[in-house]
Structures are given as C-alpha cells and as structure tokens.
Amino acid sequence: MIKENQKALNILLVLIDVLVISVSLLCSIWLRFKTTLFGPIGGHLGFSSYLLFLILAVIPVYLILYFAFGLYKPRRTYKNIFSEATQIIKVNILAFFALVSILFIINQPDFSRIMLFLMAIIATIFGIIERFTIRSILKNLRVNNKNLKHILIVGDNELAYTFARKIRANPYLGFVVSGLLGREEHVGKEVEGSRIIGSFNQMDHVLENNRYDRVVLAIPLKYYYKINELVESCEKVGIKAEIIPDYIRYFPAQPSVDMIEDIPIINIRYVPLDDNFNKFLKYTSDYVISIIAIIITSPIMFVTAIAIKLTSPGPIIFKQERMGYNGKIFEMYKFRSMKVQDPSEEKSEWTTPDDPRKTKVGDFIRRTSIDELPQFFNVLKGDMSVVGPRPERPYFVDQFKESIPKYMVKHQVKPGLTGWAQIHGCRGDTSINKRIEYDIEYVENWHMGLDLAIMIKTALKKNHNAY
C-alpha cells in the first residue's frame, strides 16, 4: 500500500511541478514584456512561441533534472527543507544554462534570455514553497498516524532499542515499529512501545505472515556471521534488508558513504561544505556580502581610523596570526584597540575585561565590535567567511587541541567574523568546550539558511562578553 501511495505521490508531484514551472514562465513573461522593470524590449517572439518552447523544452529539461537530482525520492528522514531547497537551486541554475544552450543550438536570437533568467529565479522560489507545503502536509499526516511505514527490527540489544526509541520519539518520520525479533527468552517483552514478537529462528515465518515495509538488522558485531542468512530471508519475500552497523557507537558524528570502485568507504564526519556546489554558494555569498558591508561601513571605518591615529601612537590596523581552514596560518585584520606591545606577549595573553593595554577608543570599538570590521577584507582575500567558527591564535590552538576533544574539527571550514557559538553567547571568557560543541554543530549542519539566521541574530544581539 505504501509503495502504491509513493507512486501516486510522485505522479502528483510531477503534475504540480509542471504547473509550477508553467506558472513561473507566465510570471516571467509578464515581468519581462508587460512591465518596464528590465529595460527596453527589442525584437521578441509571440506568446505562442514561448508556449511551444515551454512544452518542447522547458518542462522536459526541468523534469529530467528533477529526477536526476533525486527530487522525487522519499524524504521522510529529512528534518528540514534546506537539503531539498539546495537541490531545487541547483536544478534551476543548470536548467537556465541548458535552455540558453538549446536556444544557441537552434539559432533563436529573439528569444528573451532575460525572461529565462527571471523564470529561473521565480521557479526556484515557487519550487521551494511548493515542496515546503507538500512536506508539511505529509508530516502532519504522519504525526496523525496516516501514511505510515511498518518496520520490523531484528535485534534485542541496546542498538535495536535505541533505534526503536528514535522512531517512537519522531512521529514526523512516518515510521512505526511493528515488532522486534530477538532471543527466545526475550519473546513477549515490551520494548519502547513495541513487542518482541518472535525469535531469530522464526524470521521466515514472521515475514511470510506479515507485511513490512522495511526490515532493519540491528544485531551485535559477534553475530555478524548470521547477516547473510538474515538478508536471504528478507529477499525471499521481496523485502530489502537494511543494516545499522554495531560499530556506529564509535562514530563521533553523522557519517557519509563514499565509493572507490565497488568498495564503500564510510566517512566518519559529514561536512556539507565539502560539496563543491555548497562551497561555491558560500564563496559567492561571502564575496557579495563583504563588498556590500565594506561599502556600507566605510564611513564608520574612516572615522575609526582617524580616531585611532589621533589618540594613540602606532599603526591603525592590527595584524595577528590566526589558524584558519585546514590549519593554514593567516594574518587577521582588526582595528588596533590596544597600545603597541611586544609581539611575544601579544601571542600568549588573553584580553581581560579591564585590560590596562586597551586605549580609550579601543575600549569603545571592542564593545561595539567595530574593531572587527577590517575582517571583511580577510573575507575578500579568501582567508575567512562571514559566518564560521572564530579563528584562534596558533599558541592557544596548540594547547586546546591536546586538552579539548575534537577541537581541530572546526578547522574543516573557513573561520568567520561571527558564528553559531557567538550568537549563543560564547565570546570572550566563556567555556571553550561549549564553544567547540557549537562550532562542530555548525560544521556538520551547515546550510545557507543557517548562515542567514546567524547573520540576522548577530546584527540584533548585544555583545555582552566582548571586551
């Protein structure tokens, strides 16, 4: 029944996508030819030509790309829309270039490229709204015990119980544990709202007399010699077996799987910014935001530079070595807020609330974070991002990496002007362990929406621990 529902849902999604693409094209035609927002209109085709292009090229290209990017796969296990939104953005970028290439091949100079560009933007917005609405409806159905998938868990150890607990605690997934198989002496035992309905030896009988959508093998490592037998039992009734590896307890984070030829390699830590498209997206946003920020804050930076020069001898810009992406050392820029000091002392001393080294101007610009504005030039150079874990001095990194577990994980992305830890109050003299927890959470769960939220919260938040 679930499989039939999935097929019906996919057909419905395709039809809705066709409608969204068509509406996006109509909106872009209206914006391009019925308004004066995008400049004068030269030679252009009639509406019927655009309609024909929609049917013969636009819809097929979009649907092929939607299938290629997995947008018709079940996404029960995704907690938010951001992964799907990223795929929709990719589809629209590729669709734009594909459609422009088609126009070049058929030698059609009068077809509006501006209209196609507008369509890509509108289709992206409408597509994300459409998928968010559909996923919200499906989640609501599943929370209300509809459109459920039934799972049989093979295992009666802590790993199996933990999995059953997770399923029960997250009804939005639309899964229900319909039973477990375990040792003979545990049959009948109640586990996380489900019952151990039989022993391992009864697996063939249980599968033949019940309908399950998924069979999950969660057995201890010492029983792995039985996996082949258990998989064969599943395949005998046409159900795919899925395995939760017992050694997952040793994984410090969400793993991902790579393939070298036909051999799967498990990556211990998944970093979204390892993806080339995500890197490009972050680099582009960093570049654009830093240019805009420099232009907007240039009067503040100009006044600050004059104030520093008039009130304290020494350079306006303070340069300090910090450790960045992949452990690379770079010079971070700040407005000088302290008296000129010996480099050896500066390397190994923390700033304190009433630090006597601070100048009067320096005290103000540190409390308001104006001293960090020159770091937008670090972003333009590629040493930093607008959002990311804050970089630390190599002297302290050498200490922390020995005493704080996973400290070096933060260096798997570029450091930032602000970050997930900073908006949670982890600045100045606060817990390094807590700061690293937030940094690792950011590294493993990055998406553009998270960066946007951090930037907004940074702009609204008072810097209580900045000194």
Side-chain angles (χ1 to χ4, degrees):
M1 186 64 185
I2 289 292
K3 290 179 180 177
E4 286 75 9
N5 288 346
Q6 187 62 49
K7 287 179 183 177
L9 175 61
N10 284 344
I11 292 170
L12 180 62
L13 275 176
V14 169
L15 294 175
I16 295 173
D17 285 336
V18 169
L19 178 62
V20 167
I21 293 162
S22 303
V23 170
S24 299
L25 180 70
L26 293 174
C27 289
S28 60
I29 290 172
W30 179 80
L31 282 172
R32 180 67 188 105
F33 301 118
K34 299 300 181 181
T35 71
T36 58
L37 294 172
F38 299 95
I41 301 170
H44 65 280
L45 304 173
F47 178 75
S48 59
S49 298
Y50 286 104
L51 189 62
L52 186 63
F53 191 71
L54 170 72
I55 296 169
L56 298 181
V58 176
I59 289 175
V61 165
Y62 266 89
L63 292 183
I64 289 169
L65 289 172
Y66 266 52
F67 274 105
F69 280 85
L71 287 165
Y72 295 115
K73 290 181 180 178
R75 288 178 174 254
R76 288 174 182 255
T77 55
Y78 289 73
K79 284 188 175 182
N80 56 52
I81 188 68
F82 290 108
S83 60
E84 199 165 15
T86 301
Q87 298 299 83
I88 291 171
I89 292 168
K90 291 179 184 178
V91 164
N92 280 279
I93 291 172
L94 287 176
F96 171 74
F97 286 110
L99 294 172
V100 169
S101 299
I102 290 171
L103 292 175
F104 177 77
I105 292 168
I106 65 176
N107 192 24
Q108 183 51 267
D110 291 330
F111 197 104
S112 175
R113 272 65 169 175
I114 293 176
M115 187 277 296
L116 278 181
F117 180 71
L118 291 172
M119 180 188 167
I121 295 172
I122 295 168
T124 298
I125 296 168
F126 284 2
I128 292 171
I129 293 171
E130 170 217 336
R131 291 307 174 101
F132 176 78
T133 303
I134 290 170
R135 301 301 173 195
S136 297
I137 292 170
L138 289 174
K139 281 185 180 181
N140 188 58
L141 286 172
R142 291 162 188 161
V143 168
N144 289 289
N145 297 321
K146 296 175 182 175
N147 188 230
L148 297 177
K149 282 194 173 186
H150 297 271
I151 296 176
L152 174 69
I153 299 176
V154 180
D156 62 354
N157 56 344
E158 189 54 40
L159 180 64
Y161 300 161
T162 300
F163 179 66
R165 192 179 305 122
K166 295 283 185 184
I167 295 297
R168 190 181 185 189
N170 295 281
Y172 78 91
L173 294 169
F175 296 132
V176 59
V177 177
S178 297
L180 295 90
L181 296 183
R183 284 162 286 185
E184 193 74 52
E185 62 268 24
H186 289 169
V187 174
K189 180 182 176 182
E190 188 86 14
V191 177
E192 298 296 336
S194 302
R195 189 178 294 277
I196 297 177
I197 58 175
S199 67
F200 296 125
N201 296 330
Q202 296 174 307
M203 186 166 176
D204 287 341
H205 174 77
V206 169
L207 290 177
E208 285 171 5
N209 289 279
N210 296 276
R211 287 192 64 183
Y212 298 105
D213 298 292
R214 302 176 76 162
V215 175
V216 176
L217 309 181
I219 59 177
L221 201 57
K222 63 181 179 180
Y223 294 121
Y224 268 32
Y225 68 92
K226 284 185 169 289
I227 281 184
N228 204 37
E229 180 186 328
L230 296 172
V231 169
E232 285 181 359
S233 294
C234 293
E235 291 180 342
K236 196 186 297 181
V237 293
I239 298 176
K240 293 177 183 177
E242 298 169 90
I243 301 171
I244 303 176
D246 186 44
Y247 46 86
I248 199 168
R249 71 184 77 173
Y250 305 113
F251 293 175
Q254 176 186 349
S256 62
V257 179
D258 234 340
M259 294 294 294
I260 295 181
E261 293 295 327
D262 58 346
I263 299 176
I265 306 284
I266 298 175
N267 297 315
I268 294 297
R269 195 176 304 280
Y270 172 66
V271 180
L273 281 170
D274 284 344
D275 178 84
N276 288 327
F277 179 78
N278 289 341
K279 279 184 182 176
F280 170 76
L281 205 61
K282 183 146 175 89
Y283 172 79
T284 304
S285 65
D286 281 340
Y287 192 79
V288 171
I289 291 168
S290 58
I291 289 176
I292 294 171
I294 288 169
I295 293 170
I296 291 173
T297 62
S298 56
I300 299 172
M301 289 196 278
F302 181 70
V303 171
T304 303
I306 293 173
I308 292 170
K309 198 65 181 174
L310 293 176
T311 59
S312 174
I316 294 169
I317 298 296
F318 170 66
K319 300 176 184 178
Q320 190 178 62
E321 282 192 345
R322 298 286 174 117
M323 186 173 285
Y325 179 54
N326 279 339
K328 181 184 175 183
I329 305 297
F330 70 98
E331 281 193 330
M332 190 179 77
Y333 307 140
K334 299 179 82 170
F335 280 123
R336 184 172 59 82
S337 58
M338 294 188 176
K339 299 166 187 174
V340 177
Q341 55 187 311
D342 185 271
S344 62
E345 293 178 0
E346 169 265 312
K347 279 184 183 179
S348 58
E349 288 189 25
W350 288 102
T351 308
T352 57
D354 299 313
D355 203 310
R357 297 171 296 169
K358 287 190 291 187
T359 64
K360 289 183 179 179
V361 171
D363 185 54
F364 173 75
I365 63 175
R366 289 179 79 94
R367 281 189 286 107
T368 56
S369 294
I370 290 173
D371 65 321
E372 295 180 356
L373 292 179
Q375 287 164 41
F376 282 112
F377 291 99
N378 282 119
V379 176
L380 285 182
K381 283 180 64 182
D383 293 327
M384 296 178 65
S385 285
V386 176
V387 179
R390 286 296 290 163
E392 190 51 82
R393 283 168 276 179
Y395 175 85
F396 291 114
V397 171
D398 290 338
Q399 294 180 11
F400 295 150
K401 71 180 182 182
E402 299 297 335
S403 58
I404 299 173
K406 308 177 190 176
Y407 181 81
M408 295 302 288
V409 172
K410 63 183 279 188
H411 298 101
Q412 293 183 20
V413 300
K414 285 183 182 179
L417 278 79
T418 184
W420 190 234
Q422 281 63 46
I423 66 167
H424 284 89
C426 295
R427 294 193 59 177
D429 188 18
T430 55
S431 168
I432 300 295
N433 286 286
K434 196 67 182 172
R435 200 181 304 179
I436 291 303
E437 283 181 26
Y438 284 121
D439 285 342
I440 292 174
E441 190 176 337
Y442 173 82
V443 169
E444 294 176 347
N445 296 282
W446 178 89
H447 52 75
M448 278 307 301
L450 181 60
D451 272 8
L452 182 61
I454 291 171
M455 284 185 270
I456 292 171
K457 288 182 180 179
T458 299
L460 299 176
K461 195 175 182 68
K462 293 181 180 179
N463 298 325
H464 297 293
N465 296 315
Y467 47 77

